[in-house]
Amino acid sequence: MPTDPAAGHDLRHHGDAEVRDDGRALVDLAVNVRTDTPPAWLREHVAASLTGLAAYPDGRAARAAVAARHGLPVERVLLTAGAAEAFVLLARTLKVSRPVVVHPQFTEPEAALRDAGHMVDRVLLREADGFRLDPAAVPEDADLVVVGNPTNPTSVLHPADSLARLARPGRTLVVDEAFMDAVPGERQALAGRTDVPGLVVLRSLTKTWGLAGLRIGYVLAAPETVAELERAQPLWPVSTPALAAAEACVSPAALAEAEEAARAVVVNRAHVIAGLRDFTSHGLRVVEPAEGPFVLLHVPDAAGVRVRLRALGYAVRRGDTFPGLGGEWLRLAVRGTETTDGFLRALKQALNV
């Protein structure tokens, strides 16, 4: 059942806060952007676009490229300054009376809805159920439902059929697929589907490609929804360099590179989970199966462990700002084996093992 949204959480806290200021020198396991990105070819491509900065941005080519990547007409695509802008546009534009956000998940959708004056209900998924969604838990009269897939921070990948069952006449179903390109084969993706009524899929290009500072993402939805959101955007909302990046990142060569990176995530995630299992006798639990480029940990004295990890040179994401989680949770980005091994040694010290 939905819960009282008045319960306090810092919905504006994100992983980058862990590596600002005195955290800049730490090994970053708090932010879910892939390391060693953007790749050189992408940096060079974006840099080449700077010669055109005197002209106003023209998003037609990038929009057409994204549409072709998903097999959709351009009228179903809206380019945005990252997925965060899309959440704000949806919150300010949609005429809804009972929005529901499925938690734990990325907190920006609820924050945007609240800022736009909406009262927001929450459906809280439980650890006992593996943080998996039962569509029946969502109220029938909800006219906006927001869910992540794979979900940040739980790393749960919900079956596409289960999410599609949430669709109803008169309901907008928003599925945040910001991390779907980190899943090999993008299995369980709804992007490109036109048979699910009211479906809005959000994608980000900042995670896999290391473009958080450039701000680029997109919305896939029915043409009338796209047109309504587009009217709420300012003029020229996406910069010329970001448009160049969008076009490049949906090319066949880039998609092949992203698939290779996703398969590397599987190997590296298995390595870190195997190492974390060594600490189960000390009360540590990992949410499994994990399918995203991050894992969620239940750790006794997580706040103290996080502080001790910082002293040892590692930044991890606190979990208590996510509705549905508490002070015993940490989120850990998946990194290469060498970084992981160093972290596991630090964790052993932080747990006083």
Side-chain angles (χ1 to χ4, degrees):
M1 295 295 293
T3 62
D4 181 2
H9 291 85
D10 183 0
L11 300 179
R12 295 295 190 187
H13 180 89
H14 301 297
D16 62 314
E18 309 283 354
V19 289
R20 291 188 194 134
D21 303 326
D22 63 341
R24 291 181 183 275
L26 301 177
V27 176
D28 179 10
L29 304 180
V31 177
N32 290 325
V33 173
R34 184 164 63 102
T35 55
D36 300 322
T37 54
W41 66 264
L42 183 53
R43 291 197 304 270
E44 293 166 4
H45 185 81
V46 171
S49 74
L50 300 182
T51 59
L53 291 186
Y56 286 96
D58 182 349
R60 289 176 297 177
R63 188 178 184 184
V66 170
R69 180 254 197 269
H70 292 287
L72 295 171
V74 293
E75 293 80 13
R76 284 184 167 268
V77 175
L78 180 68
L79 303 176
T80 59
E85 187 204 3
F87 290 125
V88 172
L89 292 174
L90 289 164
R92 294 179 179 177
T93 303
L94 297 180
K95 308 300 187 292
V96 295
S97 59
R98 191 177 185 187
V100 170
V101 178
V102 178
H103 285 290
Q105 79 150 2
F106 183 52
T107 53
E108 203 60 32
E110 180 172 330
L113 286 163
R114 287 190 179 191
D115 288 347
H118 295 283
M119 296 294 293
V120 182
D121 280 328
R122 295 172 177 169
V123 170
L124 300 184
L125 307 184
R126 304 186 310 149
E127 182 189 7
D129 300 323
F131 293 109
R132 296 195 167 277
L133 173 64
D134 177 2
V138 177
E140 280 293 327
D141 62 345
D143 52 2
L144 171 65
V145 178
V146 184
V147 60
N149 203 38
T151 302
N152 171 21
T154 63
S155 209
V156 168
L157 184 66
H158 301 289
D161 289 345
S162 293
L163 297 183
R165 284 168 53 198
L166 292 171
R168 301 282 189 281
R171 171 185 287 178
T172 300
L173 172 60
V174 178
V175 181
D176 176 9
E177 292 188 350
F179 293 99
M180 188 61 78
D181 60 354
V183 177
E186 296 194 356
R187 66 187 192 283
Q188 311 306 340
L190 289 173
R193 294 272 297 269
T194 60
D195 60 322
V196 181
L199 176 65
V200 176
V201 173
L202 307 185
R203 284 289 182 106
S204 170
L205 296 173
T206 65
K207 316 300 184 186
T208 288
W209 296 110
L211 298 174
L214 198 59
R215 311 307 308 140
I216 181 64
Y218 53 89
V219 178
L220 306 175
E224 57 270 22
T225 301
V226 167
E228 189 173 7
L229 297 176
E230 190 171 17
R231 283 193 293 271
Q233 279 185 310
L235 290 174
W236 310 291
V238 180
S239 69
T240 294
L243 292 171
E247 189 173 358
C249 290
V250 297
S251 69
L255 294 179
E257 184 175 326
E259 177 68 12
E260 183 178 350
R263 296 188 182 280
V265 165
V266 173
V267 175
N268 291 329
R269 186 177 60 230
H271 182 72
V272 70
I273 290 176
L276 291 168
R277 287 183 185 137
D278 290 341
F279 301 106
T280 55
S281 61
H282 301 278
L284 185 147
R285 301 194 301 273
V286 184
V287 175
E288 296 186 71
E291 301 282 1
F294 44 85
V295 293
L296 182 64
L297 317 178
H298 185 278
V299 188
D301 186 29
V305 169
R306 176 173 155 268
V307 170
R308 291 191 289 275
L309 283 170
R310 290 182 72 85
L312 294 165
Y314 292 86
V316 296
R317 171 68 157 89
R318 56 190 276 206
D320 61 322
T321 63
F322 292 101
L325 300 181
E328 305 79 30
W329 294 93
L330 298 173
R331 191 192 69 196
L332 178 69
V334 172
R335 300 293 190 231
T337 56
E338 183 177 351
T339 300
T340 293
D341 290 343
F343 166 76
L344 292 170
R345 288 191 293 270
L347 180 62
K348 184 175 182 178
Q349 295 183 57
L351 290 171
N352 297 315
V353 176

